[in-house]
Amino acid sequence: MKLLWYLGDWWSWTFFLFALLLMPVMAQGTWNVLPVIFSLSLILSLTPDFKKYQLVGLGSKIWNEHRRILVVLCTLASAIGALTVQLWWALPIYAVAAAWAMYRRATPKRVGYTTTGSQPSNGFGWFPRTLAGQAIYRPQVKAWGAACLAPAIGLALYRYEDQIPVLGFLGSLCWALTAVALAAALHSLRVSLRGYTVLGGSRTVWARHTAVLGLIPVVVALTFSAVLGKDGGLVAAVALPSATCAPVVASLEFLGKKNWYLFAFYAVLIAGTALLCTQVAVPAVVQLFLAVAFYAAWALTFPAYIRRANAHRGGMSAWMGIS
């Protein structure tokens, strides 16, 4: 499973698994056959990228084992999605498709050297081919994007809970998955700092870039609350919790003996703001100002916090066993 975790394309696989869970609910009624066709296509065709296995010297046997694990995950997600709308007739179809996909031994498409003009992917993705682009922006944008995906889907599902009660349960499940995504973000932050400093980067520069990328949860939260809620009060109420997301996660990961007083400073600011908002009716404009002031205070002091942190060991990710 550890090999599958590192070699798998979990960003797209997570999207597909969520789609398998939600499509039967969204398309129930006349269009029930469409999610069934989509589920069957994923069960029978979704496979890991064999090029990654070739790069580390692994053959088709390991690839087939991982493919079968992916078949099981897709089948379970499809069955759960069908059960939420009592789509009983789809269950035996999924079982037969999964049995066939598990039984057959697929042959991956091997990629070797070529003299043609087509070249393999350089692996840089959409990010700049610079040290900051690859060591800071690439892992952190993916980590914050994944951390925002689960609560965003949960918020969207809660929006339609009155029409379809089962969406409330699925929304709660998405919110629970947020904890897993935030744990992955802890690990990504440490790997990012370690890689950037090992290759000669400055901790101060890393902290400044990280403070900018920490605005991703804020932007996503404000956008979704504005689109779904259409209420300025809701946007202001969401601004404060989202503004504390990146500071809390990053500060917890790099907390140590030499920077604990700055962490205490952040904790006092958060506690004071929370106490003020619970005891007094704070206007929406003031809430937005408090969110901006707290984030600015954290961003300005975060470089000093990181300069005193241990980049190579410790942190919440090590305590949780994921670093």
Side-chain angles (χ1 to χ4, degrees):
M1 285 299 293
K2 183 175 288 188
L3 273 176
L4 181 60
W5 176 258
Y6 285 108
L7 295 176
D9 190 8
W10 288 101
W11 182 261
S12 61
W13 292 354
T14 303
F15 172 79
F16 286 138
L17 291 175
F18 270 114
L20 292 175
L21 288 170
L22 302 180
M23 278 191 66
V25 179
M26 299 299 184
Q28 63 176 334
T30 308
W31 305 101
N32 270 339
V33 67
L34 294 181
V36 175
I37 296 174
F38 177 72
S39 301
L40 288 176
S41 65
L42 287 183
I43 292 173
L44 296 174
S45 65
L46 191 61
T47 60
D49 185 3
F50 188 63
K51 288 187 291 185
K52 297 180 180 179
Y53 290 76
Q54 284 185 290
L55 290 175
V56 294
L58 297 176
S60 60
K61 182 179 180 181
I62 302 289
W63 180 84
N64 265 296
E65 292 176 359
H66 291 175
R67 180 188 62 81
R68 292 186 177 104
I69 293 174
L70 194 56
V71 168
V72 172
L73 293 176
C74 290
T75 305
L76 287 176
S78 302
I80 294 173
L83 288 174
T84 55
V85 294
Q86 298 182 353
L87 206 62
W88 307 110
W89 59 268
L91 297 180
I93 299 177
Y94 293 154
V96 172
W100 166 247
M102 295 284 288
Y103 171 77
R104 73 186 183 94
R105 184 176 179 83
T107 303
K109 183 179 179 181
R110 299 179 180 273
V111 179
Y113 294 103
T114 178
T115 57
T116 62
S118 60
Q119 297 295 330
S121 173
N122 53 35
F124 290 107
W126 297 340
F127 301 94
R129 300 183 184 185
T130 61
L131 180 58
Q134 296 300 313
I136 301 178
Y137 281 83
R138 183 175 184 177
Q140 291 193 33
V141 168
K142 291 182 178 180
W144 289 126
C148 295
L149 179 63
I153 294 176
L155 185 63
L157 293 178
Y158 278 128
R159 174 73 175 175
Y160 302 99
E161 182 182 8
D162 296 335
Q163 290 83 359
I164 307 175
V166 73
L167 293 183
F169 167 75
L170 294 177
S172 301
L173 180 62
C174 291
W175 280 99
L177 292 175
T178 306
V180 179
L182 288 176
L186 291 170
H187 177 65
S188 296
L189 287 172
R190 181 163 294 278
V191 170
S192 173
L193 176 60
R194 186 187 306 154
Y196 187 72
T197 53
V198 165
L199 293 174
S202 165
R203 293 192 179 206
T204 300
V205 174
W206 182 90
R208 291 171 182 168
H209 285 297
T210 300
V212 173
L213 294 173
L215 291 172
I216 292 177
V218 181
V219 173
V220 173
L222 294 181
T223 302
F224 266 80
S225 59
V227 172
L228 297 177
K230 298 179 181 180
D231 183 4
L234 178 61
V235 173
V238 169
L240 269 174
S242 62
T244 62
C245 178
V248 168
V249 171
S251 302
L252 279 175
E253 177 58 24
F254 297 106
L255 176 61
K257 296 180 181 179
K258 297 181 180 181
N259 57 10
W260 64 269
Y261 56 92
L262 284 174
F263 181 82
F265 171 67
Y266 303 148
V268 168
L269 287 181
I270 293 175
T273 304
L275 182 64
L276 177 65
C277 293
T278 54
Q279 297 297 324
V280 182
V282 181
V285 176
V286 177
Q287 292 185 36
L288 289 174
F289 174 77
L290 290 174
V292 172
F294 169 76
Y295 200 91
W298 172 76
L300 290 174
T301 56
F302 189 55
Y305 190 90
I306 289 299
R307 285 196 298 269
R308 294 165 175 80
N310 188 337
H312 301 284
R313 66 174 68 92
M316 285 293 294
S317 60
W319 180 77
M320 298 170 67
I322 58 176
S323 177

